[in-house]
Amino acid sequence: EAQVTQNPRYLITVTGKKLTVTCSQNMNHEYMSWYRQDPGLGLRQIYYSMNVEVTDKGDVPEGYKVSRKEKRNFPLILESPSPNQTSLYFCASSPPEGSYEQYFGPGTRLTVT
Amino acid sequence: QKEVEQNSGPLSVPEGAIASLNCTYSDRGSQSFFWYRQYSGKSPELIMFIYSNGDKEDGRFTAQLNKASQYVSLLIRDSQPSDSATYLCAVIRRGGSYIPTFGRGTSLIVHP
């Protein structure tokens, strides 16, 4: 089944404790991206990648890191999480041609206390 | 000015009516336009995309694009309670990545 998977789905952590949210897709898509979704603010792009070893900042990259060492994986790293990073996070992938439809993962709900 | 603007709603319509959702965008050179539906607690899913001026129909859904006025709309005919969700407008800007920018979404409530 074609899909984007994220882990963990739910995470409660404390300020400053490094964490990684994994994202993997099995559709051989070149493009991958991370969004955060907050009430009243919609989906905001954090980072995106157009291919292996090619990443770029989105609209809200502060406090986040990403890497793209393999085509299928695009982890999101919070080196020192803070409470303002409490949010719902979505990973997405899309093909480099056609409709550019975004295929979203199920989401990761992160709470930083 | 935000790049993609939507009225947050909620937009409330009776079952069987036409729901009209609107979106405006700031980059005149934007090239691709999408409507995603998101149920509460779930991930967004694509309903329709449109590239060219005019209307595009798919079942009960019609997307309308007017590049001169920089707006895109989504019409839902014969609205059903199962259509109650947040509808996200997304735009791919020219000259950049092919990763879309999303509006904040419009909440639609279809009441029986």
Side-chain angles (χ1 to χ4, degrees), chain B residues 28-43:
Chain B
R28 184 170 290 277
S30 296
Q31 56 189 45
S32 304
F33 308 86
F34 305 82
W35 283 100
Y36 285 80
R37 178 177 61 200
Q38 186 178 25
Y39 292 112
S40 180
K42 301 296 186 182
S43 51

Side-chain angles (χ1 to χ4, degrees), chain A residues 1-108:
Chain A
E1 178 190 355
Q3 60 182 351
V4 179
T5 57
Q6 293 179 230
N7 283 292
R9 294 288 314 279
Y10 302 91
L11 179 60
I12 301 175
T13 189
V14 297
T15 299
K17 185 176 181 182
K18 181 179 178 180
L19 66 92
T20 299
V21 184
T22 65
C23 172
S24 183
Q25 51 95 3
N26 63 2
M27 295 169 280
N28 203 37
H29 287 165
E30 271 78 5
Y31 299 161
M32 297 187 74
S33 52
W34 275 103
Y35 296 88
R36 62 176 289 174
Q37 188 171 39
D38 303 288
L41 296 178
L43 274 169
R44 293 182 292 167
Q45 193 183 103
I46 302 172
Y47 268 95
Y48 62 92
S49 169
M50 298 183 76
N51 213 326
V52 175
E53 303 292 0
V54 180
T55 64
D56 212 342
K57 297 177 181 179
D59 297 321
V60 288
E62 294 77 21
Y64 304 95
K65 284 176 57 177
V66 293
S67 68
R68 187 93 181 272
K69 292 184 170 54
E70 306 166 280
K71 196 172 189 178
R72 64 185 291 126
N73 296 323
F74 191 44
L76 179 70
I77 303 157
L78 285 72
E79 295 266 0
S80 183
S82 62
N84 64 12
Q85 293 178 297
T86 292
S87 188
L88 178 59
Y89 291 86
F90 288 103
C91 178
S93 71
S94 57
E97 70 282 319
S99 69
Y100 304 106
E101 174 185 354
Q102 295 281 293
Y103 292 80
F104 285 87
T108 295

Side-chain angles (χ1 to χ4, degrees), chain A residues 43 99-102 104, chain B residues 4-8 11 19-25 32-38 44-51 54 56 58 61-66 70-76 85-92 100-108:
Chain A
L43 274 169
S99 69
Y100 304 106
E101 174 185 354
Q102 295 281 293
F104 285 87
Chain B
V4 182
E5 298 263 17
Q6 295 181 255
N7 188 321
S8 61
L11 173 66
S20 178
L21 303 158
N22 299 311
C23 171
T24 59
Y25 58 94
S32 304
F33 308 86
F34 305 82
W35 283 100
Y36 285 80
R37 178 177 61 200
Q38 186 178 25
E45 55 180 341
L46 183 70
I47 298 175
M48 295 193 70
F49 63 90
I50 186 168
Y51 303 144
K56 179 181 180 182
D58 184 0
F61 299 97
T62 299
Q64 299 175 318
L65 175 61
N66 184 321
Q70 295 176 239
Y71 80 78
V72 56
S73 61
L74 179 70
L75 301 178
I76 307 175
T86 296
Y87 289 80
L88 302 169
C89 174
V91 173
I92 290 181
T101 298
F102 284 80
R104 298 182 182 186
T106 298
S107 174
L108 172 66

